[in-house]
Amino acid sequence: MTIKIAKVGNASAISFAAEELKRCITGMDPTADVSLMAFDTHDPVLEGILWLGICPEIREMVEDPELDDAYRIDVIDGVGAIRGSNGRSVLFGVYRY
């Protein structure tokens, strides 16, 4: 299995979330080929990637985006996105996934 994890932005919680996701996947499948990538913005043209990042639409759903946590997981066969209202929310989403 090959999984490409792309973190968007430079928030330390999202970097940690990417490392944790890699650790969990390789813990479940030691033969998994998991790579980490970093981008300044989401690039919808790229395919076959699991994106991690803060989502403006999710931030708008909560009263205080820095304190209130909300996340969304849209992943099928290791491809899609885990997005949150803040970096901590992205980490919660990773653990939920």
Side-chain angles (χ1 to χ4, degrees):
M1 169 188 344
T2 299
I3 296 180
K4 298 176 187 175
I5 300 170
K7 69 179 188 93
V8 178
N10 59 4
S12 60
I14 295 175
S15 296
F16 182 67
E19 292 290 340
E20 283 291 274
L21 183 55
K22 180 178 180 177
R23 180 185 66 80
C24 291
I25 291 170
T26 56
M28 291 184 291
D29 181 359
T31 65
D33 178 23
V34 181
S35 60
L36 299 178
M37 302 178 287
F39 292 87
D40 292 328
T41 60
H42 175 257
D43 186 348
V45 174
L46 299 177
E47 297 180 355
I49 295 176
L50 199 167
W51 294 91
L52 303 179
I54 296 170
C55 177
E57 291 83 10
I58 296 175
R59 289 179 66 83
E60 291 175 4
M61 294 170 36
V62 297
E63 186 175 329
D64 185 342
E66 295 306 314
L67 297 177
D68 299 333
D69 294 307
Y71 59 85
R72 181 173 177 163
I73 302 168
D74 295 306
V75 180
I76 297 173
D77 295 330
V79 176
I82 300 174
R83 301 169 289 191
S85 57
N86 55 52
R88 181 182 58 245
S89 297
V90 175
L91 180 59
F92 290 161
V94 162
Y95 286 139
R96 177 69 179 185
Y97 174 70

